[in-house]
Amino acid sequence: MIYRNQKNLEIWNKYGDNVLMVMPFEDNIIVKAKDCMIEDADGNRFLDLASGQLCAVLGHNHPNLVERIVNQAREVIHSGTNFLSLPVMEAASKLAEVATGDLKKSIFLSTGSEANECALRLAKIHTQRTGMAGFTLGYSGMTLAMRSVSSSFGVPIASRPAVPDSHSILTPYCRKCPVDAEYPQCDFLCLQVSENELGRDKDEIAAFIVEPIISAGGMIVPPDGYFKRLKEFVNRCGALLIADEAQTG
Ligand SMILES: Cc1ncc(COP(=O)(O)O)c(C=O)c1O
């Protein structure tokens, strides 16, 4: 198939000046998506290996999902924050059925950053503490608090100063071990060093927020047994552990 880029560029020429370039966007203007394929204005088709922003878990435009969205839009599209709608309550109930342990309550938000902010605020209320910590190579979102515990892209001027009481712990990145040790003989030295570095600050941490697989930081899979030891450490601190599953699901 010949790659074309004429209509894409025409659209950019017509509208591009009014788009805030917060990142280097691709030329391709996406006009259609179906199953695992996306199509641009010039008819170029791509296999979408990223599932959109990692969210099209049913494939793009699954007919059942489209039907549910259209039907619901005919009934209610929007209500004030002080009201709930029936599908929200049904979805919470279904999640409670499949969630493990005593995870029985849900809140539905629009973005991963919002979900993490909300989890963190709940942790602060629960623990009556103000601190938070994330991995040195973690990424939890674009909001100011999340950028304060996300160091994977450095800390650009737009994210400074960090929210007070933000901390980090070493990423369990065995291939490039941050403490030059060897797994499993290391006995999770990275955690022990992190604990020492936090010192007394650890007693003020409400929650540690971590990705099960550190994604933006380099698709790093922590070694077996790491999360058990992390949970023990978090318990010792009297803090909560938030699993940011925005990418892993
Ligand atoms: C692990 C992780 N957490 C949080 C976020 C933030 O999600 P959102 O961009 O929907 O705010 C992302 C986004 O890519 C992510 O990868």
Side-chain angles (χ1 to χ4, degrees), residues 121-132:
R121 291 177 66 184
L122 289 174
K124 288 183 179 183
I125 293 167
H126 180 76
T127 59
Q128 291 294 299
R129 296 173 171 187
T130 54
M132 54 185 179

Side-chain angles (χ1 to χ4, degrees), residues 53-55 110-116 138-143 146 150 209-216 244-248:
Q53 182 68 12
L54 320 151
C55 305
S110 308
T111 64
S113 310
E114 261 183 285
N116 288 335
Y139 178 72
S140 301
M142 290 291 279
T143 55
M146 287 308 111
S150 304
I209 181 160
V210 296
E211 301 158 79
I213 295 173
I214 298 112
S215 37
D244 173 359
E245 297 176 323
Q247 284 221 26
T248 53

Side-chain angles (χ1 to χ4, degrees), residues 66-220:
V66 172
E67 194 188 331
R68 291 296 298 265
I69 291 172
V70 170
N71 288 345
Q72 181 57 34
R74 288 208 176 93
E75 301 297 326
V76 189
I77 293 181
H78 172 73
S79 63
T81 40
N82 48 336
F83 293 107
L84 289 175
S85 62
L86 182 58
V88 168
M89 305 196 85
E90 288 172 344
S93 199
K94 284 203 166 149
L95 271 177
E97 276 169 30
V98 294
T100 56
D102 57 358
L103 295 174
K104 295 292 172 225
K105 293 188 186 292
S106 295
I107 179 170
F108 298 94
L109 300 163
S110 308
T111 64
S113 310
E114 261 183 285
N116 288 335
E117 290 267 347
C118 181
L120 198 60
R121 291 177 66 184
L122 289 174
K124 288 183 179 183
I125 293 167
H126 180 76
T127 59
Q128 291 294 299
R129 296 173 171 187
T130 54
M132 54 185 179
F135 282 139
T136 44
L137 290 175
Y139 178 72
S140 301
M142 290 291 279
T143 55
L144 206 50
M146 287 308 111
R147 290 310 305 257
S148 301
V149 284
S150 304
S151 333
S152 57
F153 299 132
V155 187
I157 185 77
S159 304
R160 283 188 237 149
V163 168
D165 302 340
S166 304
H167 303 278
S168 58
I169 56 171
L170 294 170
T171 306
Y173 191 4
C174 293
R175 201 162 58 79
K176 296 185 180 172
C177 176
V179 289
D180 277 333
E182 190 82 26
Y183 175 82
Q185 298 86 328
C186 64
D187 195 30
F188 304 108
L189 183 61
C190 54
L191 257 182
Q192 297 166 39
V193 170
S194 298
E195 186 165 359
N196 289 344
E197 278 179 7
L198 281 173
R200 295 183 65 179
D201 286 337
K202 69 176 188 296
D203 300 328
E204 285 310 316
I205 292 181
F208 290 75
I209 181 160
V210 296
E211 301 158 79
I213 295 173
I214 298 112
S215 37
M219 291 301 165
I220 301 161

